[in-house]
Amino acid sequence: MATGEFELIDNYFTHRLPERDDVIIGIGDDGAVLDVPAGFQLVVVTDTLVENVHFDRQTSARALGHKAVAVNLSDLAAMGAEPTWISLALTLPHSDDEWLNSFSHGLREICDYFNCQLVGGDTTRGPLTITVTAHGVVPKGKAIQRRGAKPGDWLYVSHSLGDAGLALASQKHQVNISSEHFRQVSERLHFPTPRVALGQALRDVASSAIDISDGLLADLGHILRASQVGAVISLEEIPLSLAMTESVSQEQALRYALTSGDDYELCFTVSEDQRGVFDTKLATLGCKPVCIGRITGQAEKIELKLAGEPWQFELPQTGYQHFREPLEAS
Ligand SMILES: [Mg+2]
């Protein structure tokens, strides 16, 4: 990309962003120099959005700016980390003033909200691709991992599931929903809320955690594999939005909740011993995670129950594009 264009793009990102005291050298040098507070560890995550893979041409630039950051902050939340800095690698087919204005607006809004500073970046010419690397800090030894779940632990999700999948299906005309419901679920697809405060509250409380990016079954599967445990899920406990329950049958709603991607909610486990502490912490947070089941000793097996009865579940052959994990559903 010509120098003039790079400078143009650079202008969108070097101004009007939060400025943190721990950024010693930010954008403008060959690298950023950052202070990690004493007693903390650095957590680094990265995620890429590619046009026609993760989003289509109709997706607004503002939504992409938001989502490129949100999906990374969601990973930090799952680790119990506090977001601090991000860097951005942006590949654009051409320099488009209006697009960049809107994209940087979306990016800035979420960075402002979570006090996360952009400290570096790169722009190149090519098919539209957005890579964000996010950094966060966590007190030494307190990062939450996938591997700590134990039989008997309670299984939680942070919020209602499946809305993003319903939005995508509606966008593809696979399902008919009202325009108001479409507006609501589209908001969740394009502007996901990373559960950053909850993630930090789960340090010392959750025995394992993951963020749900590829569907509950697939992501819970990662916890079960890492922890060598199983899970039983009471399907009627899975939180569903009103937009979901008013738009599709219970069976279809559960399919979205279990297998569609892009929810960016947290899935985590809490031991019986920690449950009281957890409830107390939650009271101050203003969010209400829902207990949907329990961890079992049967390694990597997920049992789905509806009103106490085993639920027969066949995987959709043409499911969400990210849905590639083999399942252990029985
Ligand atoms: Mg993740």
Side-chain angles (χ1 to χ4, degrees), residues 21-58:
D21 294 342
D22 49 17
V23 177
I24 311 307
I25 300 173
I27 292 178
D29 217 305
D30 290 314
V33 178
L34 310 162
D35 261 344
V36 177
F40 283 75
Q41 290 171 319
L42 190 61
V43 181
V44 182
V45 301
T46 193
D47 227 315
T48 295
L49 301 180
V50 182
E51 187 175 69
N52 298 326
V53 177
H54 302 91
F55 61 91
D56 61 22
R57 185 140 298 186
Q58 273 73 49

Side-chain angles (χ1 to χ4, degrees), residues 75 146 210-211 213:
D75 277 330
R146 297 174 178 183
I210 193 167
D211 71 317
S213 53

Side-chain angles (χ1 to χ4, degrees), residues 23 25 33 50 65 76 89 93 111 126 138 168 176-177 191-192 207 223 260 287 300 302 310 326:
V23 177
I25 300 173
V33 178
V50 182
L76 287 179
C111 283
V138 68
L168 203 68
N176 251 330
I177 66 176
F191 293 91
S207 50
I223 286 185
S260 64
C287 74
E300 299 189 41
I302 300 178

Side-chain angles (χ1 to χ4, degrees), residues 24 109 145 153 157 164 196 228 236 240:
I24 311 307
E109 280 175 322
Q145 300 176 60
D153 287 358
V157 293
V196 169
Q228 279 304 296
E236 63 274 20
L240 302 168

